[in-house]
Amino acid sequence: SESMGLVDEVFKSEAEKRPAVSYIDTWMLFSAPGAPGQYAHAFPDETGAVNDMRLEDGIHMNVAGSQFVARRVMEALGAKVHLAP
């Protein structure tokens, strides 16, 4: 976690230098509800349903987690360019 935190800081710093780049902090995105930065294996999605978001290894995202982050990516992209429905 510590090493990945350092890598994330480099990515965030570099993204901030580029107006066309959006940085999505997935560590915070996948944090426990009410506990920013705290690991969570499961948490509520946009509908309020609690879902496991990671595979059994506790690191990689499962389908629900992948879809969750994909929606955040599409929101960030939509803020930069017009996306047809």
Side-chain angles (χ1 to χ4, degrees):
S1 292
E2 186 177 334
S3 295
M4 287 309 301
L6 294 172
V7 171
D8 286 347
E9 285 302 316
V10 170
F11 290 160
K12 181 178 180 182
S13 173
E14 290 301 312
E16 289 171 349
K17 297 175 187 176
R18 296 161 175 84
V21 174
S22 296
Y23 174 79
I24 299 171
D25 187 343
T26 57
W27 181 254
M28 297 303 283
L29 184 64
F30 284 86
S31 293
Q38 296 297 311
Y39 174 85
H41 186 83
F43 54 88
D45 64 13
E46 298 86 352
T47 68
V50 176
N51 291 300
D52 286 338
M53 297 290 185
R54 299 177 189 271
L55 294 173
E56 292 301 316
D57 66 7
I59 298 169
H60 298 94
M61 291 173 272
N62 62 15
V63 171
S66 298
Q67 290 173 341
F68 185 78
V69 75
R71 286 189 291 275
R72 300 295 85 70
V73 169
M74 293 306 292
E75 288 170 4
L77 181 59
K80 299 280 184 185
V81 298
H82 174 72
L83 298 175

